[in-house]
Amino acid sequence: MIAMEHVDKWYGQYQALTDINLSVRAGEKIVLCGPSGSGKSTLIRCINHLESYSKGRILVDGIPLTNDSKTIGAVRAEVGMVFQQFNLFPHLTVLENCTLSPLNTRKQTKAQAEATARRLLDRVRILDQADKYPAQLSGGQQQRVAIARALCMEPKVMLFDEPTSALDPEMVKEVLDVMVGLANDGMTMICVTHEMGFARAVADRVIFMAGGEIVEEGPPKQFFQNPKHERTRAFLGDILGH
């Protein structure tokens, strides 16, 4: 579903990604973790061209990702993204936020788009808020709307960039529960997160990044119980408190 081959990313003199090689199969759940500034967010933002990469090759569902606007549009239509900040349009209701892209990009009828939006709002357990505006919702509710909005485009892949880090602790679980549900339904997912309980429960592979490189990857059991690299062990010691 996703292939990154020898991908580098530079910001001027600063190299944010170095020789990234990553392949993700359809239905696979990947968790990316690592210290701040390790390149995790840059990596997933390259997958839907929110960041352009400097070198290498990226394919999404067989489409080579280039700077061509048509190609970028084709890839973005298949890749849903949920950000740390919810990025909802404040002047639109929850329902209008969810139907905007299907109406404009997928050229759905209003009835089609609204039926899909209501079904997905129900799936993330927030259908009763459909006619409210984002400012009337809690952070956890807004993030669940953001997930429903991404799903309304019927993407083949979902990217999550630290989706719980801006939330109060009591709201984290409601968003993670939705993500676990998506994973159980077989959605291809790449999640940048520090929620290690989620990684243990859901991930097929956990990938540790540091200094713009993939340092280690493996199934959760191996990754948490027997990490090979000292940098991975130090990170897990810091984050898990042992």
Side-chain angles (χ1 to χ4, degrees):
M1 184 58 75
I2 296 170
M4 302 182 78
E5 300 167 357
H6 305 293
V7 172
D8 290 350
K9 168 66 180 173
W10 294 82
Y11 295 102
Q13 298 298 305
Y14 173 68
Q15 189 163 6
L17 296 176
T18 303
D19 197 29
I20 297 295
N21 291 284
L22 174 65
S23 58
V24 182
R25 297 186 310 276
E28 200 172 10
K29 273 68 75 178
I30 306 291
V31 165
L32 287 179
C33 62
S36 257
S38 59
K40 310 178 299 291
S41 293
T42 303
L43 187 155
I44 65 167
R45 289 171 71 89
C46 284
I47 292 170
N48 64 356
H49 214 280
L50 286 175
E51 299 280 358
S52 58
Y53 55 100
S54 309
K55 194 175 158 197
R57 199 161 85 115
I58 298 177
L59 291 101
V60 180
D61 197 22
I63 304 169
L65 185 55
T66 65
N67 288 321
D68 173 63
S69 59
K70 266 191 177 165
T71 307
I72 294 167
V75 166
R76 285 186 182 161
E78 305 302 341
V79 179
M81 181 129 182
V82 177
F83 301 88
Q84 190 172 342
Q85 304 299 337
F86 322 121
N87 292 2
L88 299 172
F89 291 108
H91 63 291
L92 300 179
T93 65
V94 164
L95 188 65
E96 288 165 344
N97 266 283
C98 289
T99 57
L100 189 65
S101 285
L103 289 170
N104 291 327
T105 307
R106 295 277 195 220
K107 304 301 180 195
Q108 291 182 1
T109 66
K110 190 164 186 247
Q112 278 176 315
E114 288 193 354
T116 301
R118 288 185 189 281
R119 175 172 57 80
L120 291 165
L121 288 168
D122 189 41
R123 181 177 178 181
V124 300
R125 301 191 295 282
I126 204 159
L127 179 57
D128 56 334
Q129 309 291 330
D131 296 321
K132 290 189 176 175
Y133 289 89
Q136 296 173 280
L137 306 181
S138 71
Q141 289 173 321
Q142 288 188 60
Q143 193 60 295
R144 283 188 281 152
V145 171
I147 293 171
R149 176 180 63 178
L151 291 174
C152 282
M153 286 291 286
E154 298 173 336
K156 293 179 178 173
V157 180
M158 285 286 283
L159 307 176
F160 294 88
D161 190 4
E162 302 204 28
T164 58
S165 63
L167 300 178
D168 294 333
E170 67 272 15
M171 294 174 188
V172 169
K173 185 178 183 301
E174 66 187 60
V175 173
L176 289 178
D177 284 349
V178 168
M179 292 169 65
V180 169
L182 281 180
N184 291 340
D185 288 348
M187 175 62 77
T188 309
M189 297 165 66
I190 305 179
C191 310
V192 174
T193 183
H194 290 302
E195 300 290 342
M196 293 297 108
F198 173 80
R200 283 182 204 264
V202 168
D204 296 305
R205 271 187 293 158
V206 184
I207 294 174
F208 172 68
M209 292 186 69
E213 298 179 271
I214 292 176
V215 174
E216 183 161 354
E217 61 179 288
K221 191 170 181 184
Q222 175 200 312
F223 183 86
F224 288 108
Q225 292 180 8
N226 190 26
K228 294 184 176 69
H229 291 267
E230 179 53 42
R231 280 195 288 184
T232 316
R233 289 194 287 271
F235 172 77
L236 290 173
D238 288 343
I239 204 163
L240 299 173
H242 58 68

